[in-house]
Amino acid sequence: MKRVMRGAVLASVAAAAVTGCVTDKGACETMSKGCEPSVVVKPFGKTKDGQLVQQYTLTGAGGVVMDVIDYGGKVVRLFTPDRTGAKTDITLGFNEVAGYETHDPYFGSLIGRYGNRIAKGTFTLDGVTYRLPINNEPGGLPCSLHGGKRGFDAYVWHSEPLSEGRSVGVKFWMTSPDGDQGYPGKLDVTVCYWLTPENVWRIEYEAVTDKATPINLTQHLYFNFKGEAEGTILDHELTLFADRMTPVDKGLIPTGEVVPVKGTPFDFTTPWPIGARIQADNEQLRFGGGYDHNWVLNNQSGKLAPAAALYEKSTGRFMEVWTTEPAIQFYCGNFLTDQVPSKKPGKKLCYRGGLALETQHSPDSPNQPAFPSTILRPGAVYKSATEYRFGVK
Ligand code: GAL
């Protein structure tokens, strides 16, 4: 999608802000009839070191509304209609910046430079060994997770509103300096979020580097189609367009094998309730504490294709995930507890209270020569796109 020049965008945003479609709560009052698309910008808060954090409320012409902040490109709230047209916030997040600074479930965040785990926090590239910060130790085995101690989720990004036709969005960009979190190369990253009239949230990632470096950008939104803090996601029905997955060791690092899912609790090639087989006597489920694994998508073409579908029958909410990426991490909130606060006063989150479908390359690819490469070289452009398509059934 083409980007609009900043001046033009701001004009359209100013016009949109006076349509009256968006209230202070970021809600669209004419949901069932659709909305005038708009982007409204307002302060969200400040980081602990005093940086101002801006919130963008994107109201899509199809009625989906999302609040997004420039701190980590986080989606704070996401309102989608159920089958009666009633809207609910279906994502986990925090009302204040401090929540994001205190807790680490990566709610709604952009993840980089490397989404997922790198074994022992080290890799060798072109004969040079690099060391990354260790910030995770499942099963007592140290690794570097989601970009290290300070990943892209913990930066205030540059940002500006976008609009084209009846789609609205926000563009984020930042430069990660050479050596950031141990990674080589100065990396310039741009991520655009678009909300289309068809209720598609499209994410476009782009990056360039001045030295060869691994890169694996993703988005870590948690979904609960019954609503934030409305119980577990075990009743959601999941489909994964993947005949194979990458088994892990107890540190959640791939063993290097790629195995068929047929006949196992990892077979989501037809829709299955997430909770149906999660207690099965299965070593992989024990290592993950449930589902926390990487599936190799059937589509390896690099072109946009279906990766996953999710359905919740009491609300009728349905979503398809499409991506250009070769793999997807399905994480069903095994590390969540009621110690992580809800956005709603008086409500609590819970164990398995949300799930993430993170499109990406497989974990530890820099140490796995048989996996598709995650190395970006100078002169090449990293490009990736993912769409979350919202609807009802
Ligand atoms: C997921 C990962 C989980 C957990 C989670 C954050 O992407 O697969 O193991 O680390 O992020 O809590």
Side-chain angles (χ1 to χ4, degrees):
M1 235 174 235
K2 206 175 89 223
R3 271 138 229 167
V4 180
M5 298 306 293
R6 189 179 168 86
V9 171
L10 289 176
S12 99
V13 167
V18 295
T19 62
C21 197
V22 174
T23 70
D24 278 355
K25 293 192 185 68
C28 168
E29 286 160 347
T30 52
M31 184 80 187
S32 47
K33 292 189 227 109
C35 278
E36 271 312 298
S38 66
V39 184
V40 174
V41 190
K42 69 174 190 186
F44 180 78
K46 281 191 175 162
T47 62
K48 57 177 183 293
D49 59 8
Q51 280 181 281
L52 183 64
V53 175
Q54 295 284 12
Q55 172 180 298
Y56 292 78
T57 297
L58 311 183
T59 299
V64 168
V65 178
M66 57 202 297
D67 290 332
V68 176
I69 55 174
D70 56 9
Y71 179 66
K74 295 173 201 290
V75 179
V76 175
R77 299 175 199 92
L78 172 62
F79 297 90
T80 70
D82 67 10
R83 65 161 79 84
T84 70
K87 259 180 328 167
T88 307
D89 177 12
I90 59 160
T91 193
L92 311 193
F94 300 110
N95 293 321
E96 279 108 30
V97 183
Y100 293 105
E101 291 177 319
T102 316
H103 301 278
D104 66 351
Y106 301 91
F107 283 168
S109 286
L110 288 177
I111 305 287
R113 293 189 184 192
Y114 197 95
N116 221 316
R117 296 183 165 83
I118 296 187
K120 300 179 188 141
T122 185
F123 64 91
T124 300
L125 175 58
D126 298 338
V128 181
T129 297
Y130 295 91
R131 299 206 183 276
L132 313 171
I134 301 292
N135 61 337
N136 194 238
E137 222 177 62
L141 298 180
C143 66
S144 194
L145 173 70
H146 294 336
K149 289 204 164 125
R150 188 177 184 193
F152 291 176
D153 56 290
Y155 281 88
V156 177
W157 292 54
H158 300 288
S159 61
E160 66 182 25
L162 295 170
S163 122
E164 185 180 289
R166 290 182 61 78
S167 293
V168 288
V170 52
K171 172 179 171 179
F172 297 112
W173 69 99
M174 68 173 277
T175 298
S176 167
D178 187 11
D180 189 10
Q181 299 294 301
Y183 287 93
K186 171 167 101 55
L187 191 74
D188 290 305
V189 189
T190 303
V191 182
C192 294
Y193 291 173
W194 288 98
L195 194 51
T196 78
E198 296 77 30
N199 288 337
V200 175
W201 171 34
R202 179 176 166 88
I203 310 169
E204 296 168 352
Y205 306 86
E206 242 181 69
V208 290
T209 183
D210 63 1
K211 285 185 193 153
T213 190
I215 179 169
N216 197 22
L217 304 180
T218 189
Q219 225 293 346
H220 208 300
L221 199 75
Y222 286 71
F223 297 97
N224 185 327
F225 283 177
K226 290 178 292 190
E228 187 252 7
E230 297 293 343
T232 77
I233 46 67
L234 294 173
D235 49 3
H236 289 43
E237 289 171 25
L238 178 69
T239 309
L240 293 173
F241 294 79
D243 296 338
R244 297 173 303 153
M245 54 87 70
T246 55
V248 288
D249 63 15
K250 64 179 181 168
L252 302 183
I253 298 292
T255 59
E257 297 155 281
V258 177
V259 302
V261 292
K262 203 173 172 55
T264 76
F266 292 83
D267 186 353
F268 284 95
T269 55
T270 55
W272 274 88
I274 289 165
R277 300 164 296 173
I278 204 165
Q279 305 292 1
D281 181 14
N282 177 288
E283 184 180 59
Q284 285 299 311
L285 286 171
R286 276 196 294 283
F287 286 163
Y291 295 107
D292 190 358
H293 295 80
N294 205 265
W295 276 253
V296 175
L297 294 170
N298 295 340
N299 173 49
Q300 297 288 310
S301 70
K303 303 224 167 70
L304 198 69
L310 190 67
Y311 174 61
E312 196 285 308
K313 59 175 175 301
S314 73
T315 61
R317 286 197 174 83
F318 177 72
M319 174 182 79
E320 286 178 7
V321 184
W322 289 56
T323 190
T324 60
E325 286 296 305
I328 192 165
Q329 182 83 6
F330 162 44
Y331 166 60
C332 72
N334 307 310
F335 294 113
L336 288 175
T337 70
D338 64 5
Q339 298 308 299
V340 182
S342 160
K343 283 177 278 188
K344 294 179 187 145
K347 286 261 188 183
K348 282 189 165 203
L349 294 184
C350 66
Y351 175 53
R352 297 179 176 160
L355 69 95
L357 290 164
E358 309 153 48
T359 55
Q360 56 188 236
H361 278 55
S362 293
D364 201 33
S365 292
N367 294 311
Q368 300 279 355
F371 290 180
S373 172
T374 50
I375 305 304
L376 177 67
R377 295 194 177 268
V381 181
Y382 170 91
K383 280 191 189 204
S384 171
T386 292
E387 294 185 354
Y388 295 89
R389 303 181 176 187
F390 302 106
V392 287
K393 276 218 287 208

